Amino acid sequence: MTTMTEADQRGNGASPENDILVEVKNLQMYFPVTAGIIFQRAVAQIKAVDDVSFFVKKGETLGLVGESGCGKTTTGRCILQLYKPTGGQVVFDGQELTSMSTRQMRVMRRRMQVIFQDPYSSLNPRMTAGNIIGEPLIVHGLVNNKEEYRERVAELLQNVGLNPYMADRFPHEFSGGQRQRIGVARALSVDPSFIVCDEPVSALDVSIQAQIVNLLEDLQEQFDLTYLFIAHDLSVVRHISNRVAVMYLGHIVEIADRNEIYANPLHPYTRALLSAVPIPDPVIDAQRERILLSGEVPSPLNPPSGCVFHPRCPIAIDSCQQVIPELREVEPDHWAACIQSPGYGSY
Amino acid sequence: MATLLEVKDLRTHFFTFEGVVKAVDGVSYEVEEGETLGLVGESGCGKSVSALSLMRLIPDPPGKIVSGEMLFEGEDILKIDMDDMRRIRGAKMSMVFQEPMTSLNPVLTLERQLSETLQLHRGMSREEARNESVDLLARVGIPDAERRVKQYPHQFSGGMRQRVMIAMALSCNPRLIIADEPTTALDVTIQAQILELMKSLTNEFGVSLIVITHNLGVVARYADRMNIMYAGKIIERGTAREVYSNPRHPYTVGLLKSVPRLDLPRRAKLDPIEGQPPDLINLPQGCSFRDRCRWAVDKCATEEPPLMLMNEGHWSACWRSDELGPSALDFYADAEMLEGATNGGSAADSEPEEEN
């Protein structure tokens, strides 16, 4: 077994094609901005995700971090085909998803699931925990009779650290952490191989966050899961991910191994993000250099020319306004999209 | 430094159909002039209720401040009538709320919202209030304030709205600002901006600040002193340096150990506080943390530990405080917690999740 070890070793050496579970190629997701009441016409486009490419290897966790509005959730939803991407391809285990019919896609959904951010609004308040977890079993025809159904639901509840007798309770009877466990059990019910975790802990208290993070790690080991872990908390992402991708305004600006990206961040945005993470120790925190980014994330309706980060970038030069930096492998397994990072080459 | 606010044995209870919720149950602390006090705890521990009690904004019914004293500039603001309270609230004592999205009125321009406080408390004319609003917005770092002041809240981003809230809180030169989770709804880079702004403004104007948060990391850099709350009570208090480096309560230790640290090597496993916070209606006898506590002994079930003095200015409510301290904070106490120094932890044979 030892999926983590294998994934890590692959990360250190060559990565053969067949080890890749999910590959995203030049993904674009543009949302139209419409005007008019009856005859709606598109007047502009929000470029939520613009030319994003990456891959997730079997058994690994890829962390996807960025500020709100950077397109990380949209990327996750495009992979699951919850949005039809405007352009690009999503390849899951060798099969291209964007051209699939709804019927074909439903079969694929058994293998890819999602855990949502807000455990308060993502569970139907009128369904019992057992029915929430069991519904996918019926939809996908995974159980033959009521007895099997009950057994499977009980097993899933135990997998996530809840008691089987809780199946008859409604979501409001659970605390936030327990609700998130129900969300995890629901995702697990169809025995998927890939789970998009969309900010699964950010709505929880810190003491409960650690419980859920540990649960996700245990389940990954137990069921050979591959995660795309979307979050804005960099310390949690470093803990759970094997590799980390940083997104800014619809683009991936850096991808590297977790230790590499934290020890040697190459993109100025990654550096600023890391320096902004507070450290719970007043002595150490006071000694750290903090890169305060001026201003806010520009609107994806009208992104800046050239490198989208240049208006806030502390090291921007004139060329940054014209050149759109592509993501390049500047060091082995370390990709960055900044023309000033060492090893980037000519532009 | 003089004491600005002194809270003595504050108790705020909510009388519900299910029973009495003791949201704040015997809390005492002081705030010195110009200092920043961190108030930390999980959701439901009573930290927001204790802040709302200070402003006397507890909805009644079902809530009621059942006992206690709150001496603000020497005057017990629990005894004054609501008209007098209204003169203090917003003027001498103001609040920054958690949700900048919902705590501004969506149908009024910022000018109207900012002017209201100014006209009411500082007796300004419309014209003066308008000019002052522009100044305030500029002071909290909103560019093009002259134009922006005429806009509505939805035209501002989350970070900008929080700046507006801070401008509003500052508008009457208060003595005390209570910030209830001021950065929780914001992104990390914006969080850093807002905290720096609050720190510099409070320094500049000598305002005292109470920052309420559930994240110990957020206040580490800014707080002078800390109060840690659990189940309606303060369970540890002291200077920030002491509390972070020499925690004496198992809950504080648990909070510090449950978060991953960016500045330290990655741990193989996080160390969560097991279980759930207790139900405030049926608090168990004895120490309310004992069900989740690794250090619990028999005494904890029968006798509730009072706040006991550890060092100068450092208090903890635990029977075994003396055994805690920096050693309890060892993040790698178990050998398998430390991950191999090699890339990605792949070579770490000790990592439990990699054992075959």
Side-chain angles (χ1 to χ4, degrees):
Chain A
M1 206 212 44
T2 63
T3 50
M4 293 273 291
T5 320
E6 279 165 25
D8 280 333
Q9 280 165 354
R10 284 198 301 276
N12 298 337
S15 47
E17 280 293 310
N18 59 359
D19 275 356
I20 291 173
L21 184 67
V22 180
E23 187 167 15
V24 175
K25 293 178 188 163
N26 306 102
L27 186 74
Q28 288 179 328
M29 184 68 222
Y30 295 172
F31 293 102
V33 180
T34 55
I37 297 165
I38 299 167
F39 301 105
Q40 294 209 335
R41 60 209 148 78
V43 290
Q45 279 178 324
I46 291 178
K47 297 181 175 179
V49 176
D50 202 6
D51 199 15
V52 159
S53 304
F54 62 89
F55 57 85
V56 191
K57 286 177 276 187
K58 272 191 187 121
E60 81 165 348
T61 302
L62 177 70
L64 190 58
V65 288
E67 292 173 270
S68 38
C70 75
K72 53 192 194 302
T73 297
T74 307
T75 306
R77 294 191 167 199
C78 283
I79 292 176
L80 298 167
Q81 303 296 306
L82 295 174
Y83 293 143
K84 270 277 170 236
T86 316
Q89 288 184 315
V90 179
V91 182
F92 180 82
D93 207 10
Q95 286 173 284
E96 215 282 306
L97 300 183
T98 48
S99 54
M100 275 190 183
S101 67
T102 317
R103 184 175 301 215
Q104 287 171 306
M105 200 50 225
R106 187 169 302 154
V107 182
M108 293 306 290
R109 290 234 162 84
R110 257 197 66 189
R111 305 191 49 202
M112 42 210 296
Q113 283 293 319
V114 58
I115 298 167
F116 292 102
Q117 168 172 15
D118 185 354
Y120 293 87
S121 61
S122 57
L123 302 178
N124 186 338
R126 290 159 188 248
M127 284 168 79
T128 61
N131 286 342
I132 290 170
I133 297 168
E135 193 180 28
L137 298 173
I138 297 168
V139 170
H140 290 284
L142 299 175
V143 285
N144 298 316
N145 52 49
K146 283 209 158 160
E147 194 48 42
E148 264 184 51
Y149 173 84
R150 256 195 302 273
E151 275 173 24
R152 181 79 179 116
V153 168
E155 184 192 341
L156 284 162
L157 281 168
Q158 276 172 324
N159 282 340
V160 297
L162 295 173
N163 283 318
Y165 69 80
M166 291 175 175
D168 296 328
R169 293 192 184 169
F170 287 92
H172 73 267
E173 297 174 76
F174 293 92
S175 68
Q178 288 173 323
R179 274 182 240 208
Q180 199 55 291
R181 287 175 193 264
I182 296 173
V184 174
R186 189 204 54 78
L188 283 178
S189 61
V190 294
D191 207 4
S193 42
F194 177 62
I195 297 182
V196 174
C197 309
D198 190 0
E199 305 247 18
V201 297
S202 52
L204 306 174
D205 272 312
V206 277
S207 66
I208 309 295
Q209 278 187 10
Q211 294 178 4
I212 300 293
V213 166
N214 281 353
L215 173 72
L216 288 172
E217 285 187 325
D218 292 342
L219 293 171
Q220 179 168 46
E221 187 192 6
Q222 200 178 342
F223 298 109
D224 279 345
L225 297 168
T226 303
Y227 290 145
L228 177 69
F229 192 92
I230 300 172
H232 66 264
D233 183 335
L234 285 111
S235 37
V236 171
V237 167
R238 180 182 78 152
H239 180 82
I240 199 167
S241 310
N242 301 98
R243 290 186 306 132
V244 178
V246 181
M247 261 188 106
Y248 183 77
L249 209 61
H251 297 263
I252 287 186
V253 297
E254 189 162 1
I255 302 183
D257 177 86
R258 64 152 175 257
N259 289 341
E260 170 71 12
I261 207 163
Y262 287 95
N264 179 27
L266 292 178
H267 198 281
Y269 180 62
T270 315
R271 269 182 240 145
L273 265 189
L274 286 173
S275 82
V277 176
I279 303 275
D281 186 321
V283 182
I284 294 171
D285 204 37
Q287 288 163 354
R288 290 198 318 154
E289 184 199 2
R290 196 165 273 202
I291 307 168
L292 279 182
L293 288 179
S294 57
E296 308 208 2
V297 185
S299 160
L301 202 58
N302 185 19
S305 65
C307 172
V308 284
F309 185 58
H310 85 258
R312 298 174 81 193
C313 181
I315 59 166
I317 53 175
D318 288 347
S319 313
C320 297
Q321 293 178 28
Q322 287 105 41
V323 185
I324 298 176
E326 57 177 10
L327 193 63
R328 285 192 197 165
E329 191 166 9
V330 290
E331 281 168 29
D333 284 321
H334 192 150
W335 300 66
C338 175
I339 57 172
Q340 293 193 73
S341 65
Y344 190 80
S346 60
Y347 49 87
Chain B
M1 238 190 273
T3 304
L4 177 70
L5 173 78
E6 195 174 354
V7 178
K8 287 184 193 164
D9 199 32
L10 178 72
R11 285 170 206 270
T12 307
H13 296 177
F14 289 84
F15 298 88
T16 66
F17 288 117
E18 283 90 36
V20 181
V21 180
K22 295 176 179 173
V24 175
D25 199 26
V27 159
S28 307
Y29 60 92
E30 314 84 53
V31 183
E32 308 287 326
E33 270 176 28
E35 86 165 341
T36 300
L37 176 77
L39 195 56
V40 180
E42 285 174 278
S43 31
C45 76
K47 54 194 194 302
S48 293
V49 172
S50 77
L52 288 175
S53 303
L54 284 181
M55 301 284 282
R56 288 184 65 189
L57 286 172
I58 298 292
D60 179 15
K64 205 167 170 42
I65 299 174
V66 290
S67 73
E69 278 177 57
M70 296 190 302
L71 302 173
F72 182 70
E73 293 181 320
E75 183 185 19
D76 188 353
I77 52 172
L78 267 182
K79 294 215 171 68
I80 60 179
D81 63 27
M82 272 301 174
D83 282 339
D84 289 329
M85 191 60 214
R86 224 165 274 140
R87 275 188 272 280
I88 291 176
R89 200 190 288 143
K92 286 183 169 178
M93 200 193 260
S94 57
M95 194 148 176
V96 176
F97 291 95
Q98 171 173 9
E99 292 256 337
M101 309 291 170
T102 52
S103 36
L104 291 168
N105 188 333
V107 297
L108 297 181
T109 61
L110 293 187
E111 186 182 309
R112 284 281 299 278
Q113 301 191 47
L114 282 160
S115 303
E116 191 182 356
T117 342
L118 293 168
Q119 286 175 289
L120 200 68
H121 288 299
R122 287 170 65 180
M124 287 186 176
S125 71
R126 259 196 120 126
E127 192 60 34
E128 285 170 329
R130 186 173 306 152
N131 294 335
E132 180 70 17
S133 313
V134 176
D135 279 354
L136 280 167
L137 286 193
R139 209 187 296 163
V140 294
I142 293 182
D144 200 8
E146 194 85 38
R147 184 177 61 87
R148 297 286 265 171
V149 77
K150 297 196 177 68
Q151 294 184 331
Y152 292 88
H154 75 267
Q155 291 166 296
F156 290 77
S157 66
M160 282 294 168
R161 275 181 247 199
Q162 200 56 290
R163 285 172 191 265
V164 173
M165 292 294 294
I166 293 170
M168 221 176 255
L170 279 173
S171 61
C172 296
N173 304 323
R175 308 288 304 130
L176 173 69
I177 295 179
I178 304 163
D180 188 359
E181 304 261 8
T183 62
T184 307
L186 306 174
D187 284 312
V188 269
T189 56
I190 310 294
Q191 266 183 17
Q193 286 178 8
I194 295 290
L195 287 166
E196 291 288 341
L197 173 75
M198 288 184 50
K199 187 70 184 177
S200 67
L201 288 174
T202 46
N203 278 348
E204 191 182 332
F205 298 102
V207 187
S208 306
L209 182 64
I210 300 180
V211 184
I212 300 173
T213 176
H214 71 275
N215 187 344
L216 275 167
V218 168
V219 283
R221 195 181 177 120
Y222 304 99
D224 300 306
R225 285 191 305 144
M226 306 282 298
N227 287 343
I228 317 279
M229 280 189 79
Y230 189 78
K233 295 197 168 68
I234 291 177
I235 49 99
E236 181 161 6
R237 50 191 288 232
T239 61
R241 254 171 202 256
E242 271 277 299
V243 171
Y244 281 96
S245 61
N246 184 18
R248 292 305 191 90
H249 195 284
Y251 180 62
T252 317
V253 173
L255 278 183
L256 285 167
K257 286 179 86 167
S258 64
V259 289
R261 291 266 300 251
L262 265 190
D263 59 323
L264 298 175
R266 180 182 176 273
R267 279 174 286 165
K269 278 274 171 216
L270 291 180
D271 200 0
I273 304 175
E274 297 299 341
Q276 310 284 338
D279 181 359
L280 291 175
I281 295 179
N282 303 308
L283 275 182
Q285 212 197 356
C287 174
S288 49
F289 186 61
R290 70 165 198 277
D291 290 340
R292 305 173 75 186
C293 182
R294 262 170 234 187
W295 280 271
V297 289
D298 290 347
K299 192 181 184 186
C300 304
T302 50
E303 278 181 78
E304 191 184 333
L307 269 178
M308 291 173 276
L309 188 64
M310 300 286 115
N311 301 319
E312 203 196 323
H314 189 176
W315 303 69
S316 165
C318 175
W319 293 121
R320 298 184 69 188
S321 294
D322 289 337
E323 298 162 54
L324 293 154
S327 60
L329 252 195
D330 185 359
F331 286 93
Y332 309 101
D334 305 318
E336 66 258 30
M337 279 298 187
L338 186 62
E339 205 176 49
T342 37
N343 202 2
S346 54
D349 301 321
S350 54
E351 195 173 359
E353 59 202 23
E354 291 187 359
E355 276 167 20
N356 209 334

